[in-house]
Every structure is written in structure tokens, then in C-alpha cells.
Amino acid sequence: MTTDTEALVRRAYHLAEGDVLEVQGFVDLFAEDGVFNGIGGVSGPESYRGEHLGDVVAWMGKLLPDVHRELHRVNVLGEVVAIELSIQGTFLGPFETPAGVIRPTGAKIDIPTADFWYLRNGKVEVFDCHIGFTTLYAQLGVLPDYASAVAASGPGR
């Protein structure tokens, strides 16, 4: 049996699918003071509010135009929904990094993710999205530069 809370969250995922991608519809599911916390991004944790609530959805749609979220486990406790999922798609869009743009490779991407949705009065108050960026980087062929990290740490640091 699906609750109204679960149905709202499933609607958010539907609107963020590559073949739908209704960014404004996704944003409209949030409370006026709602926040989307992207955990573990390229530049670390980021929070989005207001007109920027759909930024990650639009970014992911560019990166993986056929983006799909495969929901593995959905747990509902009142107005809290915790989901284990995979974000899947084909790397066909540019991936901008602080060092420059990684060009699309056509690689199939399958990123482990954990999402936590906190609702209030039928709207999303907080959405915490924990994406497995280390897995994404490996699938894109972006390997860690351990030598630079070791050199930067130097003696006495």
C-alpha cells in the first residue's frame, strides 16, 4: 500500500527521469522554504533553495540524458521517506570539473545512492541526496591523483 507521502516522493523521481525531465514540476513539490542538499558533490556538500531547487535535476539530465533512478528499497515512516536506489544512465553530456570539462564517453553509469525525504503538509521540506561520487568517478574513468595528494601533504603537515 502506497501512502500519500510515498506517492509524492515517487512523483519527484518520475519528474526527474530523462524521458520526462520536468524540472519545474519537481521544484513545485517543495515547500516555500524547502531545501535540496546534495551530499558529496564535485565541490563538496551543496544546498539548493528557491529557484535553484531543480539545479541538480537539470545537471543530471544533461550529464545522463537517459537518466533513470532504480528504487531498490523504499521505507516510509510518517512524513520521512528513506530510499536506497541507483542512478543509471549513459554519459552523453559534459562533466564540468574545477580542472576542466570531461568529455562524454558513452559509458554506462550506475551510481549507488541513498535519499532521505522529509515532508511537511504534503510538500518536501528537506531532501538529502547522498550520491556515491567515488563510484561515479570510477565509471567515468576519473581516477584519484594520489601522488599529488601525497606531495601536497609533505612532511610536517
Side-chain angles (χ1 to χ4, degrees), residues 13 39-41 60 64 67-73 83-89 108-116 128-140:
Y13 287 120
I39 312 297
M60 190 65 73
L64 311 171
V67 66
H68 168 69
R69 288 155 184 89
E70 185 69 31
L71 307 185
H72 303 298
R73 288 182 187 82
I83 301 180
E84 177 187 344
L85 67 146
S86 296
I87 299 175
Q88 304 167 337
K108 296 294 182 186
I109 303 299
D110 191 344
I111 316 161
T113 305
D115 287 346
F116 300 89
D128 290 336
C129 179
H130 299 263
I131 295 176
F133 271 93
T134 54
T135 300
L136 170 62
Y137 296 149
Q139 292 173 3
L140 294 176

Side-chain angles (χ1 to χ4, degrees), residues 101-124:
V101 175
I102 300 170
R103 293 189 192 129
T105 63
K108 296 294 182 186
I109 303 299
D110 191 344
I111 316 161
T113 305
D115 287 346
F116 300 89
W117 299 81
Y118 303 89
L119 283 69
R120 179 187 65 215
N121 300 323
K123 292 283 190 173
V124 178

